[in-house]
Amino acid sequence: MIPPVVVGIDGSPESSAAVRWAAAQARSRGAGLVVFRAELFDDPDLLPHRKPPVEAELLLEPGYRLLRRAADEARRAMPGVSVRMCLRLGAAAGLLVEQSAEAGLLVLGWSGVGMRGVVAGSVPLSVAASARCPVAVVRGRADPAGPVVVGVDDSGGSERALAFAFETAETHGAALEAVHAWHDGNRENGVPEQVAAWSRKHPAVPVRVRAVRARSAARALAAISRAARVVVVGSRGRGPVAGGLLGSTGNGLLAHATCPVVIVR
């Protein structure tokens, strides 16, 4: 069974864009779509399990209303995609990480999902740092004619990013552009051979390898993202803090890319 695509929603324009993008990914994968909403009640007296059933349903109705609206938007964007709604009580980041255990792809808008009073983007950062599946953060606008861009170095995260990027390019009939940002003599560093190995597994995908001299890989990839369908990077996977887990490239891309970004762990 193909794992579903899960999209977190909070009713913002950014999450609406994420719903439409996620629906397209679900259709291209032949997967179902789960529209997910987290409800967090700050006052313990407002927790639904402390209220009579009728009052509890009234408390949750705004969340269900947002879910129904998002599910309808997904069905309009991609008719025929199977859409399921899910509402859970608790903090969005932790619940989304739980959802990632059964998902093939987790999709979020950049505004933050289901959290009040937090810095915009903090939920996507936290989820991307801890999720058990690739996490797509939808921001800017994808170029439907653009390539799948993947950041490449000699790390294990880069190998996982290449695997995801080639599969995505093949599914969408797109070209792939592998970008290696180098500085102080690290040009290419075995990247062409690394990309060629994946190209042999996906011979139908047109491939271009670019070496870009830049102090910041995130800045180089953000500039290239203007003409990209999606940018894919691997996660460093270190430590309990989101910044340490994603590394500077992941953090920088999520803040500055002008198209959707996928973090692969």
Side-chain angles (χ1 to χ4, degrees):
M1 183 175 178
I2 301 172
V5 174
V6 176
V7 57
I9 64 118
D10 64 359
S12 68
E14 291 83 1
S15 75
S16 292
V19 166
R20 295 189 296 271
W21 193 88
Q25 299 309 304
R27 188 173 74 172
S28 70
R29 291 163 167 255
L33 177 68
V34 177
V35 182
F36 180 86
R37 166 78 180 172
E39 285 288 350
L40 183 63
F41 292 90
D42 298 326
D43 185 345
D45 291 331
L46 293 178
L47 290 174
H49 67 264
R50 295 190 180 182
K51 295 287 184 180
V54 173
E55 292 185 47
E57 286 300 315
L58 288 175
L59 286 173
L60 295 175
E61 178 53 31
Y64 282 118
R65 191 181 306 126
L66 286 175
L67 282 173
R68 289 192 293 269
R69 189 182 306 159
D72 288 343
E73 185 166 21
R75 293 184 183 105
R76 285 194 300 271
M78 294 291 154
V81 169
S82 173
V83 181
R84 179 168 61 87
M85 298 182 294
C86 179
L87 186 146
R88 295 275 305 278
L89 297 177
L95 292 174
L96 284 162
V97 171
E98 288 181 16
Q99 291 289 310
S100 73
E102 305 297 329
L105 178 66
L106 186 59
V107 182
L108 305 173
W110 177 239
S111 66
V113 180
M115 296 282 280
R116 292 171 288 173
V118 296
V119 177
S122 62
V123 170
L125 278 172
S126 179
V127 173
S130 303
R132 301 173 196 175
C133 72
V135 176
V137 179
V138 177
R139 53 172 299 124
R141 178 171 295 191
D143 182 346
V148 173
V149 173
V150 56
V152 185
D153 56 24
D154 58 0
S155 68
S158 178
E159 281 292 301
R160 293 187 292 272
L162 278 165
F164 183 92
F166 267 98
E167 289 170 7
T168 300
E170 188 168 63
T171 298
H172 291 276
L176 182 141
E177 190 166 304
V179 178
H180 173 60
W182 66 282
H183 183 63
D184 290 338
N186 293 324
R187 182 169 182 169
E188 296 189 348
N189 198 25
V191 166
E193 294 79 9
Q194 187 182 18
V195 175
W198 284 100
S199 184
R200 286 191 290 272
K201 299 176 185 178
H202 301 271
V205 176
V207 178
R208 178 189 181 194
V209 178
R210 289 179 63 179
V212 179
R213 187 166 189 174
R215 290 183 179 273
S216 166
R219 186 172 298 176
L221 289 166
I224 292 168
S225 74
R226 299 187 189 108
R229 176 186 299 259
V230 64
V231 176
V232 182
V233 293
S235 168
R236 292 293 184 182
R238 298 193 301 263
V241 180
L245 279 160
L246 291 182
S248 59
T249 301
N251 283 340
L253 267 178
L254 290 183
H256 301 295
T258 56
C259 75
V261 175
V262 178
I263 306 291
V264 182
R265 290 178 54 74

